[in-house]
Amino acid sequence: MTTTAITNIASLVTNDPSLRVDSPLGLIRDAAVVIEGDRVVWTGESSKAPATDNAVDAGGRAAIPGFVDSHSHLLFAGDRTEEFNARMSGRPYSAGGIRTTVAATRAATDDELSANVARYLAEALRQGTTTFETKSGYGLTVEDEARALRIAAQHTEEVTYLGAHIVSPDYADDPAGYVDLVTGAMLDACAPYARWVDVFCEKGAFDGDQARAILTAGRAKGLHPRVHANQLGHGPGVQLAVELDAASADHCTHLTDADVDALAQGNTVATLLPGAEFSTRAKWPDARRILDAGATVALSTDCNPGSSFTSSMPFCIALAVRDMGMTPDEALWSATAGGAAALRRTDIGRITPGARADLVLLDAPSHVHLAYRPGVPLVHAVWQHGERVV
């Protein structure tokens, strides 16, 4: 296989635990990376780089792992601009929210849904995202949920069954019947396309008992749990996630001390989604509190048409540093290695020998510029699976 050395890197973020001296990032100054095929095979000081078939001069730029966006909702159609405009303008808006997107998604063709996913993925890739998870949840019928996941699986290996996003409008008067559908015929149709099962455990969506039934049924079909937890208020979501060894409890905005302790003592990652708070003017998650307790934190975009219509991980990093108490180092780690942990992956989110060769060159000498220069397009080049794609 062809080997390529990327040399003259001012600052290389490896996320290598053995190199963590002053930072969780395992920084190497004046560094080089050698890629063979789709893998990283060597990292170290640029002057010590081995001979390779090809060489790329980074020009004194910083290099970071590709971002790992572990929470998104890209299988949708339609637009909710009017809803956002009303919310930001302080006007009441009574259209259907998620139900509006459900109607548009059901009406869309397979080709239209696939093209939408591809467009948002290309947008994210240009901003340095090389791995993403995405969910169903805007179909809410057996047929529409299964086709959403089938389409998603054509674009990513990290596919999540979220039939339990809200109670389907078709079952407005029979939520128990909808839970039976989600844990029965819908699960049977969706499980072959998914790796994960998720539930929106929140007042107005699914309570703790319903969420437990849905996650347990999914687990029996070989899907691993994730949970939308404690976004809108205090509730059982985080505790349930830890109890069921969910890979991630997502949102984590409203936490009790017991919730924080559970996250610190368990294996469940707290995935924070600052785009949602930004877009709804809601309370910010207290990342500092969670980190100081010893829990693992991931950052993700929550890209969706209603409450966080951004695909930009750099934007989420800037928000986390500015408004959630994270340091620039912590935010970058959470957007890369943290996202990998939320997907229970060890081959991404780091630049170390054996890892998948997903990395980003920034038009800056340091990763700190991601928070220091918010809104500036700093991504200079992106490698994904060892191939330069941007």
Side-chain angles (χ1 to χ4, degrees):
M1 289 184 286
T2 301
T3 55
T4 299
I6 306 171
T7 63
N8 194 20
I9 299 170
S11 175
L12 172 64
V13 173
T14 68
N15 288 339
D16 183 345
S18 69
L19 299 178
R20 294 177 186 177
V21 179
D22 301 319
S23 157
L25 301 181
L27 294 174
I28 303 175
R29 307 290 183 183
D30 189 17
V33 175
V34 175
I35 297 169
E36 182 176 6
D38 67 348
R39 297 286 150 173
V40 174
V41 295
W42 185 91
T43 61
E45 295 177 12
S46 196
S47 62
K48 299 177 182 177
T52 57
D53 300 310
N54 302 305
V56 176
D57 188 339
R61 296 178 174 89
I64 63 173
F67 296 122
V68 180
D69 191 346
S70 61
H71 183 127
S72 74
H73 302 251
L74 301 185
L75 266 297
F76 70 89
D79 181 85
R80 282 158 68 181
T81 303
E82 291 185 12
E83 176 186 336
F84 177 79
N85 192 26
R87 185 165 65 236
M88 293 298 107
S89 303
R91 300 195 307 269
Y93 186 79
S94 57
I98 290 175
R99 291 169 180 82
T100 300
T101 302
V102 168
T105 303
R106 289 178 177 179
T109 67
D110 288 10
D111 287 346
E112 287 168 339
L113 290 176
S114 185
N116 277 349
V117 174
R119 178 160 60 95
Y120 296 125
L121 290 187
E123 181 181 279
L125 186 63
R126 292 193 298 270
Q127 299 173 89
T129 298
T130 53
T131 302
F132 79 100
E133 175 272 0
T134 201
K135 311 175 193 297
S136 64
Y138 292 123
L140 308 185
T141 67
V142 172
E143 179 182 355
D144 286 302
E145 286 294 292
R147 75 164 179 148
L149 294 175
R150 172 173 49 79
I151 292 167
Q154 296 168 6
H155 295 274
T156 180
E157 58 210 320
E158 299 296 347
V159 178
T160 300
Y161 167 48
L162 183 60
H165 199 182
I166 59 169
V167 173
S168 169
D170 309 318
Y171 284 79
D173 297 324
D174 185 17
Y178 186 65
V179 172
D180 288 342
L181 182 70
V182 168
T183 57
M186 187 183 288
L187 174 61
D188 291 341
C190 290
Y193 303 109
R195 182 183 178 203
W196 307 98
V197 59
D198 200 345
V199 60
F200 188 25
C201 183
E202 202 77 53
K203 185 177 181 180
F206 298 90
D207 64 25
D209 290 339
Q210 292 169 325
R212 182 190 302 279
I214 291 163
L215 296 172
T216 301
R219 193 165 61 177
K221 282 285 186 178
L223 306 182
H224 203 87
R226 326 179 65 76
V227 184
H228 280 62
N230 300 58
Q231 176 187 6
L232 305 178
H234 297 290
V238 165
Q239 297 283 344
L240 182 62
V242 175
E243 176 193 332
L244 296 180
D245 190 35
S248 182
D250 298 44
H251 288 289
C252 294
T253 309
H254 299 272
L255 301 180
T256 65
D257 289 344
D259 293 332
V260 175
D261 289 344
L263 288 167
Q265 294 169 18
N267 297 317
T268 299
V269 174
T271 298
L272 308 184
L273 309 168
E277 280 71 36
F278 177 87
S279 298
T280 59
R281 292 178 175 161
K283 171 188 173 183
W284 296 102
D286 188 350
R288 182 79 270 135
R289 178 187 180 200
I290 302 170
L291 287 164
D292 287 348
T296 301
V297 169
L299 286 177
S300 186
T301 64
D302 191 19
C303 187
N304 76 83
S307 61
S308 183
F309 203 5
T310 180
S311 59
S312 176
M313 290 289 277
F315 175 64
C316 292
I317 286 172
L319 292 180
V321 172
R322 168 62 178 80
D323 292 303
M324 289 164 45
M326 300 184 83
T327 68
D329 286 9
E330 290 168 338
L332 178 58
W333 189 93
S334 294
T336 52
L343 295 175
R344 298 215 164 154
R345 297 276 296 272
T346 59
D347 61 327
I348 56 175
R350 59 189 178 92
I351 302 176
T352 58
R356 200 170 78 183
D358 295 348
L359 59 116
V360 177
L361 283 185
L362 301 177
D363 268 327
S366 167
H367 66 279
V368 177
H369 282 237
L370 291 166
Y372 181 42
R373 304 194 68 207
V376 176
L378 292 177
V379 172
H380 175 77
V382 180
W383 279 260
Q384 185 181 43
H385 294 275
E387 297 288 335
R388 184 168 178 175
V389 290
V390 174

